[in-house]
Amino acid sequence: MHAIHDYPVGDDTRQHVADLRLAATGDAQAQLRLSQAARAMVVTGEADEIIASMEGLTYARLAAAQGVPDAIMLAADHCAHLGKTYSDCGAEDSASDWIAQAIGLLEIATDLLPSENAAALMQTVNIAADMSTPDIMALAKFYRAAFIPAFGLAALA
């Protein structure tokens, strides 16, 4: 039986630990890197989809609240993945909630992006809206209003 100290610590783990220390002090770029790492591990199947997505979402929200616009897009990506994962499990109420959060965050992102990028993103939001139920869109409106004080233009001023 191996003891924990028998396993070599890889460079990725060292970087995650360093980023965790920085993230704990409020370093938005470290928070963004941890969120990106969580997303990558979900995509490659190296981590539990729900746990890693939730952890990544938390870091993305923290970075977004500090004015990192890319973190809003990453948070939306985590939410959309959670929506799909919960839908695949048959938990439709949870799936709808996560999809609504993703749409609400994408709507906020359109306010923050330069107009040429915002137009393309708005097309994506419109497609998602067309595919969603009225209940999901009502929830998206709620989440947009709830998160805009933390992530919107006023938060970046």
Side-chain angles (χ1 to χ4, degrees):
M1 174 134 177
H2 292 285
I4 191 122
H5 63 277
D6 292 338
Y7 293 103
V9 176
D11 290 340
D12 286 350
T13 301
R14 282 189 188 90
Q15 183 61 53
H16 296 321
V17 170
D19 282 340
L20 185 58
R21 289 179 166 284
L22 292 169
T25 66
D27 185 305
Q29 291 305 312
Q31 293 163 347
L32 180 65
R33 286 190 301 272
L34 287 169
S35 182
Q36 290 167 331
R39 185 75 189 117
M41 290 189 318
V42 167
V43 169
T44 61
E46 296 175 61
D48 181 88
E49 290 183 83
I50 293 174
I51 293 170
S53 292
M54 291 294 294
E55 187 172 281
L57 175 59
T58 300
Y59 286 120
R61 285 177 176 164
L62 290 170
Q66 293 189 74
V68 180
D70 290 346
I72 296 171
M73 296 293 293
L74 187 54
D77 202 23
H78 284 296
C79 288
H81 185 84
L82 285 163
K84 181 187 178 323
T85 301
Y86 277 93
S87 180
D88 291 348
C89 294
E92 293 305 321
D93 287 345
S94 293
S96 295
D97 191 77
W98 287 114
I99 295 299
Q101 284 189 55
I103 293 170
L105 290 169
L106 290 174
E107 288 178 351
I108 293 170
T110 62
D111 294 341
L112 303 176
L113 293 174
S115 60
E116 62 275 2
N117 297 354
L121 181 56
M122 199 55 175
Q123 284 182 314
T124 301
V125 172
N126 288 336
I127 291 167
D130 289 344
M131 295 171 56
S132 298
T133 66
D135 287 343
I136 290 174
M137 293 312 298
L139 269 173
K141 183 178 179 178
F142 166 80
Y143 281 119
R144 183 185 198 291
F147 287 132
I148 204 155
F151 307 148
L153 292 173
L156 303 179

